[in-house]
Each structure stands twice: as structure tokens, then as C-alpha cells.
Amino acid sequence: MSELSSPIKADPYLLKDIFSDKFLFNIPLFQRPFSWNEEHFEKLFRDIYESMVESKGEGIYFLGSMVLVNERENIHQVIDGQQ
């Protein structure tokens, strides 16, 4: 059995951080191609907005899980969770 160079951990992050320059994502070639269109984005952002309105901006929105490998300080390789 191989040993990991760093432990696996799960951390929650704010959406504003995920969509900022704190997280730059590298999608490896083995991942399937990105397939979202404008309709998918509109539905996601509408859902996030409605969640914020209903909770008066204090709620938690679970976007989903992602498996990332840190390549450098703020560059993360997406292993799973792209879609």
C-alpha cells in the first residue's frame, strides 16, 4: 500500500472564494469535456440566488464535493467533481 505525501481532508469553502482567484482550476486531459451551456449556468445562479434570498444571506448552499490535488499555492487539479 502506498503512503500519501499529505493527508486527505475535507473543508467547506465559501462560493465567493471558489469563484475567485483563490482557486484556479486545472482540468486534466483524462476528464470528460465540459458540457454546460448558458441554460445550465442560469439555473445554477438562479438556485444560488433564491437560496440566499430565502435564508437572508446567512444560509449554507451545498454546491457539491470536489476532489482536488494542489499543484501550487492556488492552482488545483480537478480529479472529480467537475460537473
Side-chain angles (χ1 to χ4, degrees), residues 15 47-59 61:
L15 285 176
D47 190 47
I48 292 170
Y49 176 78
E50 289 171 1
S51 175
M52 289 173 47
V53 169
E54 289 174 11
S55 66
K56 297 181 174 64
E58 298 177 13
Y61 185 88

Side-chain angles (χ1 to χ4, degrees), residues 56-71:
K56 297 181 174 64
E58 298 177 13
I60 294 174
Y61 185 88
F62 182 70
L63 186 60
S65 61
M66 296 175 67
V67 178
L68 306 173
V69 172
N70 293 352
E71 292 183 346

Side-chain angles (χ1 to χ4, degrees), residues 67-78:
V67 178
L68 306 173
V69 172
N70 293 352
E71 292 183 346
R72 287 179 289 229
E73 183 177 334
N74 65 336
I75 300 176
H76 309 276
Q77 185 176 55
V78 178

Side-chain angles (χ1 to χ4, degrees), residues 1-65:
M1 183 182 297
S2 66
E3 291 187 32
L4 298 171
S5 60
S6 63
I8 296 174
K9 61 181 184 170
D11 294 314
Y13 291 98
L14 298 173
L15 285 176
K16 70 177 185 140
D17 292 335
I18 292 171
F19 293 121
S20 75
D21 60 359
K22 292 180 183 180
F23 284 87
L24 301 176
F25 299 105
N26 175 20
I27 311 298
L29 293 175
F30 62 79
Q31 291 287 2
R32 64 181 174 214
F34 188 72
S35 63
W36 275 34
N37 59 38
E38 187 174 336
E39 181 180 325
H40 294 109
F41 286 107
E42 287 176 3
K43 183 176 181 185
L44 172 63
F45 289 118
R46 187 172 38 253
D47 190 47
I48 292 170
Y49 176 78
E50 289 171 1
S51 175
M52 289 173 47
V53 169
E54 289 174 11
S55 66
K56 297 181 174 64
E58 298 177 13
I60 294 174
Y61 185 88
F62 182 70
L63 186 60
S65 61

